[in-house]
Amino acid sequence: LPPISHLTSNHHVKPSPTSLYMSKSRSPLAVAGVLLILSIFIGTAFMPLIGNLGNKIPVGAGLPSRPSDPSAVVVNDQNRLSRAAIQEKLGSIPVFYLLDDKGDMSLNIYMSYADAKEASASTPGSVVTVSSLDQVEYPLILRRGRMRMAPPPIEVAKAEATLNEEGRIYHLIPSKQALKDAQEFGIDL
């Protein structure tokens, strides 16, 4: 083929044999099949959007929420999690605390890294350290002892050992954003 710059209206490019094959008309059955598959795909994509149009159910009706009357909550063995199941869930939640220059934990355990970092900036010689909530919730905050789990970080083990000796009380500090959100919804944390 001549270079593109030399093509004029007198020169025509001959189509390849595959483009001729692809341009042949399709059978009506194949076209109907493709249209059926496309309509099913598109229809199912919009089903969640139009599923509740005729119902008078509010959008958030299926979402769990805090009951207005806490005494109305029924707790039984079917909906109660074992302590091991709770520990497993807590193991995926990071918490942050400050270590002083001696390696001792601060009494505040933060849910937000940004809040811990801010506290560290106002406490000279401290560094922010991370662990998981299962390592600190039962032994330090609730004072219910340690379960069978991975060994705690050295500073958590040290804090746990001195817990009763010094009468220290550890606090779980929600993030500033969580406090703001709770206040907006009238929830007291």
Side-chain angles (χ1 to χ4, degrees):
L1 289 173
I4 295 177
S5 62
H6 296 295
L7 287 178
T8 62
S9 60
N10 294 337
H11 291 90
H12 295 285
V13 178
K14 184 177 178 185
S16 70
T18 56
S19 64
L20 288 176
Y21 173 74
M22 291 173 62
S23 66
K24 290 184 181 178
S25 64
R26 303 270 188 234
S27 71
L29 187 57
V31 172
V34 169
L35 289 175
L36 177 66
I37 291 171
L38 281 174
S39 63
I40 289 173
F41 178 74
I42 293 171
T44 55
F46 287 105
M47 287 305 258
L49 300 175
I50 60 174
N52 285 332
L53 289 180
N55 299 337
K56 299 294 181 190
I57 300 172
V59 174
L63 300 174
S65 62
R66 181 180 271 184
S68 57
D69 181 14
S71 65
V73 176
V74 177
V75 177
N76 57 35
D77 290 337
Q78 291 177 342
N79 61 4
R80 178 174 283 168
L81 290 174
S82 69
R83 187 169 169 188
I86 293 170
Q87 285 291 109
E88 184 178 332
K89 291 180 182 297
L90 294 178
S92 64
I93 302 171
V95 292
F96 309 92
Y97 47 88
L98 305 183
L99 291 180
D100 63 15
D101 50 1
K102 298 176 196 170
D104 293 331
M105 277 181 71
S106 68
L107 296 177
N108 292 331
I109 300 169
Y110 299 90
M111 297 297 295
S112 164
Y113 175 74
D115 294 345
K117 192 74 174 165
E118 184 178 314
S120 176
S122 64
T123 309
S126 66
V127 294
V128 177
T129 307
V130 66
S131 185
S132 57
L133 188 54
D134 67 326
Q135 294 288 348
V136 298
E137 179 70 19
Y138 279 103
L140 296 179
I141 297 170
L142 298 177
R143 297 176 179 238
R144 293 187 183 169
R146 180 160 293 284
M147 287 199 52
R148 285 176 279 156
M149 65 178 87
I154 294 169
E155 61 273 2
V156 173
K158 185 177 174 183
E160 192 176 347
T162 61
L163 187 64
N164 293 328
E165 294 173 12
E166 300 174 14
R168 299 176 71 143
I169 298 174
Y170 290 87
H171 303 280
L172 189 62
I173 309 296
S175 69
K176 289 180 181 176
Q177 184 62 47
L179 291 170
K180 181 181 171 189
D181 293 343
Q183 184 180 22
E184 191 175 301
F185 287 102
I187 300 171
D188 184 32
L189 290 181

